[in-house]
Amino acid sequence: MPINMVIRENRKAHGLTQEQIAEYLGVSTPAVNKWEKGVSYPDVSLLPALARLLKIDLNTLLCFEEGLTDQEINQFSNKVIDTIRKKDYESGFSFAMEKIREYPNCDKLLYTAALLLEGALFMYGFNADNKEVYQKQITALYERVAGSKEEQVRNSAVYMLVSKYMEQEEYDKSQEMLDLLPESADLDKMLLQANLYRHQNKLEEAAEILERKLLMEVNEIHGILMNLIDIALKMENLRTADHLAELSVNLSDRFDLWGVNAYLIPLEVALAKKNVKDCLSLIKSVLSAVASPWKVSDSLLYSHIPVKEETQQNYCKQLFSAFLAEMESSPKYEFLHDNVEFRHLIERNKGKYN
């Protein structure tokens, strides 16, 4: 809440008039009126007396400790993404940082902004300049809330820093963050809520929660397999990598995952082997799958999960562009750059969703 609204609302809450405020502080009534309209601000020397008169502390008067509601943070998140889509990543990033300067002590805002900007950098920022600068500022946001008094926000930020420091090969820092996480996980709130709904015979609600939980767990297993394959490839154990890739395809098939999931891991193995034929075939499959938005509720396993088709379509468009950008810029695709069919795939799909 801006300072002008703080003054106006607290004045009214205590039944004071603008004239009374003016008389107490030794200023004119029009000056107080301008404060409340946001046209001008009180002199610094008047702030302590004004805070006492309104029975609030200076932090509240200056909005230093004010937070945002979950609804306001959701609105902020939508605004950031909307700004990035309509303008560019830099504009969305600037808008987010401006909000953070307005509410510097709202830990949930800082964490949400860091998470949002990091995801958007991958999805929308593949053409952005100074990616490393953005990454450093995002990491700094996580670091700011790693000491938060809000346990959930703190643990989430620490968890993200463990991974980020690991990627940067700052292993001591990563271990330091890891040691801050609690040894035992809390009871799974999703399962408890589903169980409560089931006992209340709210079966639709219970089914949706359990289906979301299942989808989360299956995606987590898929992520584990991807990490195991990365290890196998670095150890040059191609037999293990092939076996894990096969498991990932079976997992995607058995649990009705999006078609993209079935091709990404085998593609990583084919790239490591520099198998041109398999790479081209899998790249075509990935592009085809990404071009077909996944309606999760079409699966019998996830039929209770609602899907916003427009949201899924937008996600597919951004993922499609990000995948094409990676094909052109990532070193692991370099051996394909002279391949005519590979270049044709890129050129044919460029601007497909523009």
Side-chain angles (χ1 to χ4, degrees):
M1 186 187 301
I3 186 172
N4 63 305
M5 293 180 64
V6 173
I7 295 171
R8 183 172 67 248
E9 291 190 5
N10 281 278
R11 174 181 64 77
K12 290 181 177 180
H14 294 298
L16 297 169
T17 65
Q18 291 183 347
E19 289 80 4
Q20 288 172 316
I21 296 287
E23 183 180 354
Y24 181 89
L25 296 175
V27 297
S28 67
T29 301
V32 177
N33 184 264
K34 288 181 179 179
W35 297 347
E36 294 192 0
K37 288 183 177 179
V39 176
S40 62
Y41 298 96
D43 187 87
V44 173
S45 63
L46 296 175
L47 294 178
L50 178 59
R52 286 193 295 271
L53 181 59
L54 298 175
K55 298 180 181 179
I56 57 177
D57 58 34
L58 279 172
N59 285 328
T60 302
L61 178 61
L62 299 174
C63 310
F64 284 158
E65 293 186 353
E66 185 175 302
L68 292 170
T69 65
D70 288 347
Q71 183 179 2
E72 288 173 322
I73 290 176
N74 287 336
Q75 291 173 348
F76 156 78
S77 300
N78 293 334
K79 179 66 175 177
V80 172
I81 293 300
D82 192 49
T83 302
I84 291 173
R85 284 176 178 166
K86 291 181 179 178
K87 296 183 179 178
D88 51 34
Y89 182 83
E90 182 179 358
S91 299
F93 189 92
S94 297
F95 170 77
M97 297 307 292
E98 182 180 340
K99 196 73 171 178
I100 288 170
R101 283 189 289 273
E102 186 178 352
Y103 297 93
N105 295 313
C106 182
D107 291 344
K108 191 167 185 180
L109 171 67
L110 267 65
Y111 175 74
T112 301
L115 201 63
L116 189 67
L117 291 171
E118 185 162 30
L121 186 59
F122 171 75
M123 293 300 299
Y124 303 95
F126 44 85
N127 289 324
D129 296 327
N130 302 321
K131 274 190 177 183
E132 290 185 3
V133 174
Y134 290 130
Q135 285 288 7
K136 285 182 180 179
Q137 292 185 69
I138 290 168
T139 299
L141 290 177
Y142 286 128
E143 290 171 339
R144 282 174 63 177
V145 292
S148 174
K149 294 179 180 179
E150 299 179 49
E151 183 179 6
Q152 184 176 357
V153 172
R154 180 180 66 249
N155 289 340
S156 297
V158 168
Y159 183 89
M160 294 300 296
L161 286 172
V162 171
S163 300
K164 293 187 78 63
Y165 289 147
M166 201 178 303
E167 290 173 5
Q168 297 165 13
E169 299 185 1
E170 297 184 69
Y171 302 124
D172 289 341
K173 281 189 176 182
S174 182
Q175 184 64 58
E176 183 181 339
M177 290 294 106
L178 190 58
D179 291 340
L180 293 177
L181 291 173
E183 292 295 333
S184 56
D186 293 334
L187 290 172
D188 194 314
K189 188 174 180 180
M190 290 182 73
L191 293 181
L192 288 174
Q193 184 67 73
N195 199 27
L196 176 59
Y197 281 148
R198 186 167 58 83
H199 279 84
Q200 294 173 316
N201 208 36
K202 296 180 179 178
L203 302 183
E204 293 284 336
E205 292 89 340
E208 180 182 343
I209 289 178
L210 291 173
E211 287 173 7
R212 288 185 184 278
K213 177 67 175 174
L214 175 62
L215 188 56
M216 288 168 56
E217 297 290 346
V218 174
N219 278 320
E220 183 175 354
I221 293 173
H222 190 268
I224 291 171
L225 289 174
M226 184 170 285
N227 285 322
L228 285 172
I229 284 178
D230 182 61
I231 292 171
L233 292 174
K234 287 178 178 177
M235 297 176 68
E236 298 183 358
N237 192 337
L238 295 180
R239 182 181 177 188
T240 299
D242 284 334
H243 178 62
L244 291 169
E246 184 179 350
L247 286 177
S248 74
V249 173
N250 291 337
L251 178 75
S252 298
D253 182 56
R254 295 291 179 86
F255 287 93
D256 296 349
L257 296 182
W258 190 18
V260 174
N261 295 65
Y263 306 118
L264 287 178
I265 290 182
L267 176 58
E268 289 298 316
V269 177
L271 288 168
K273 291 180 177 180
K274 291 185 169 50
N275 187 318
V276 175
K277 180 180 178 181
D278 286 352
C279 283
L280 292 174
S281 175
L282 289 164
I283 287 171
K284 291 176 186 176
S285 297
V286 171
L287 290 171
S288 176
V290 175
S292 305
W294 183 43
K295 190 175 180 181
V296 63
S297 56
D298 283 345
S299 166
L300 292 177
L301 280 177
Y302 315 114
S303 59
H304 294 87
I305 300 178
V307 175
K308 292 182 179 179
E309 291 188 16
E310 183 180 354
T311 300
Q312 184 63 20
Q313 287 173 352
N314 287 333
Y315 176 78
C316 287
K317 291 177 183 178
Q318 297 305 324
L319 184 59
F320 193 91
S321 298
F323 183 64
L324 283 176
E326 183 186 36
M327 288 167 59
E328 287 192 287
S329 61
S330 175
K332 62 186 177 184
Y333 287 92
E334 282 184 359
F335 72 97
L336 291 169
H337 285 181
D338 292 331
N339 183 280
V340 175
E341 188 175 357
F342 178 79
R343 296 305 312 171
H344 180 65
L345 274 173
I346 293 177
E347 294 304 321
R348 187 176 63 192
N349 286 284
K350 265 186 177 180
K352 189 169 184 178
Y353 286 112
N354 292 342

